[in-house]
Amino acid sequence: MDILGAWKTRWGIGRMTYTINPGLYSVGCPDQYSPVLVTSNYKLTVDKVRKNLSGRNLWVLVLDTKGINVWCAAGKGTFGTEELIARIDQEGLKEKVVHRELILPQLGATGVSAHEIKKRSGFKVEYGPVRAENIPYFLDNGKRLNPSMREVSFPLFDRLVLTPVEIVIAMDLMLRVFGVMAILSALGILPVERADYLGLIGAVITGTFLSPLLLPWIPGRAFSFKGMLTGLIWAVSYILFLYSKGYTGSLQLFSYLLILPSLSAFFSMNFTGSSTYTSLSGVEKEIKTALPIILAALVAGILTRIISLF
Amino acid sequence: MGFKYLKDAVTLKLDTDKCIGCGMCEIVCPHSVFLIKNNIAVLTDRDKCMECGACSMNCPVSAITVRKGVGCAYAVLMGMFKEDGCGGGPSCGGSGCC
């Protein structure tokens, strides 16, 4: 396993070029009767599939999904009906195997129409498990699965490995904000304090790390609401901390109560894209309600903070 | 531990008159929204639907309709600010999410 490569990808380093070449690969020594598995050309995916097939003889047909994982690529259509049919022809799959059956990851179904594939290529599509680690079970049990193997869960570890990219994206934005703050401070326009930066960094961490991690235990359904709650906890703790350190400017402390929760709410809302259960209609509904509130609180908070400086 | 998003937000519709009970929707749905009961598909919990579109894509008789999309706030926001000419609609990619 390419552990360093996987780690780098999770932090967004070279994430978009982590690919392998599309085509037909053999695992072990497959023959014309061996099963054919289909997957994407994201290297993390192929590594995971291969790891779970060790000791077996079969074919792996890797589609060109531009280095995107199966589910996201299927959503875009690159892991799709057209690509699969083209790849079957290009690799001469009909000459390589005598059977006419393909095993696809279940999450590929978003981009693939099984009856269309059957009609146009003659191959019958069998949808395997959601997760690669259940492929052996699927193959050994007459292509049957437990219902839980057909469901997408979102356990703590999955949420954890998705947070680094959230942090990187959020910090990319915040570093620009910090830059502007530093320039305004250096020019003597706004005497920004270290407490301001620390508060904001804390809000980024609550929104991009704490909220995703605690997701199922935070009350509410909307991600922004959950983020507002964690942000509120951070803001109150931070205000109490500053107060104990001798900060008494009530306007300044009050501005944090407005700014920090709205920032945390915004970054938590962005985690909808990493989650495995939010719908587009739901996200649109959430944004329509939450964004005006977030922006209003943010603007009010920033104005309060500016006033408190004079 | 139930992950459930907003109530009554999704566009999923099932036409039971067209359904032939083949069971493909039950197989492909990642959130077990469908169940085959007496040779016909029924919706168990509509709010669990994430509009991935796998069911409608694999229904051989087009009994299921859903507005397929990605539930990603980042993508929706980018779509709002960039009313582009690339066919519209929120999508992932670039160096953004997923």
Side-chain angles (χ1 to χ4, degrees), chain A residues 126-139:
Chain A
E126 288 274 2
Y127 286 111
V130 164
R131 291 182 160 257
E133 61 250 37
N134 292 322
I135 297 173
Y137 183 99
F138 181 76
L139 294 173

Side-chain angles (χ1 to χ4, degrees), chain A residues 65-103:
Chain A
T65 61
K66 317 288 174 211
I68 306 287
N69 70 70
V70 170
W71 207 10
C72 286
K76 276 183 235 239
T78 47
F79 189 101
T81 307
E82 298 305 322
E83 163 67 9
L84 179 52
I85 288 172
R87 199 59 60 183
I88 291 169
D89 280 347
Q90 209 174 317
E91 298 300 324
L93 194 62
K94 285 183 174 160
E95 283 77 58
K96 296 267 170 50
V97 292
V98 291
H99 64 78
R100 290 292 175 263
E101 196 177 278
L102 300 169
I103 298 169

Side-chain angles (χ1 to χ4, degrees), chain A residues 15-16 68 71-72 74-76 81 106-107 109-115 125 127 147 150-155 159 165 169 215-217 221-223 266 269-270 272-273 275-287 291, chain B residues 1-11 24 26-32 47-61 67-74 76-77 80-81 90-98:
Chain A
R15 188 162 65 115
M16 294 301 163
I68 306 287
W71 207 10
C72 286
K76 276 183 235 239
T81 307
Q106 185 192 323
L107 296 185
T110 293
V112 172
S113 174
H115 52 274
V125 169
Y127 286 111
R150 291 232 171 266
E151 278 199 49
V152 169
S153 53
F154 203 26
R159 301 199 299 277
V165 159
I169 292 172
L215 200 66
W217 301 293
R221 289 193 178 191
F223 282 42
F266 180 76
M269 191 167 78
N270 276 343
T272 48
S275 85
T276 56
Y277 66 97
T278 54
S279 60
L280 174 58
S281 301
V283 166
E284 284 175 346
K285 192 175 167 186
E286 167 160 4
I287 288 178
L291 198 62
Chain B
M1 194 160 59
F3 286 104
K4 224 189 262 184
Y5 199 39
L6 308 186
K7 255 183 210 161
D8 288 327
V10 295
T11 52
M24 277 306 267
E26 193 183 24
I27 288 174
V28 297
C29 178
H31 291 293
S32 308
D47 288 340
K48 275 190 176 173
C49 171
M50 60 174 293
E51 299 183 325
C52 73
C55 52
S56 64
M57 193 84 178
N58 284 278
C59 177
V61 291
R67 185 183 62 137
K68 176 178 162 179
V70 181
C72 172
Y74 187 83
V76 174
L77 288 172
M80 275 165 60
F81 294 118
S91 81
C92 286
S95 56
C97 73
C98 69

Side-chain angles (χ1 to χ4, degrees), chain B residues 10-26 28-29 32-47 49 51 54-67:
Chain B
V10 295
T11 52
L12 177 68
K13 279 197 188 92
L14 167 68
D15 184 348
T16 43
D17 291 339
K18 284 188 188 168
C19 178
I20 52 168
C22 73
M24 277 306 267
C25 51
E26 193 183 24
V28 297
C29 178
S32 308
V33 172
F34 298 93
L35 196 72
I36 302 296
K37 243 186 199 168
N38 305 324
N39 294 319
I40 203 151
V42 289
L43 295 176
T44 57
D45 189 348
R46 210 165 147 267
D47 288 340
C49 171
E51 299 183 325
C55 52
S56 64
M57 193 84 178
N58 284 278
C59 177
V61 291
S62 308
I64 304 167
T65 53
V66 62
R67 185 183 62 137

Side-chain angles (χ1 to χ4, degrees), chain A residues 285-305:
Chain A
K285 192 175 167 186
E286 167 160 4
I287 288 178
K288 227 174 258 173
T289 319
L291 198 62
I293 302 172
I294 290 172
L295 289 178
L298 205 57
V299 170
I302 293 169
L303 288 177
T304 309
R305 178 64 185 121

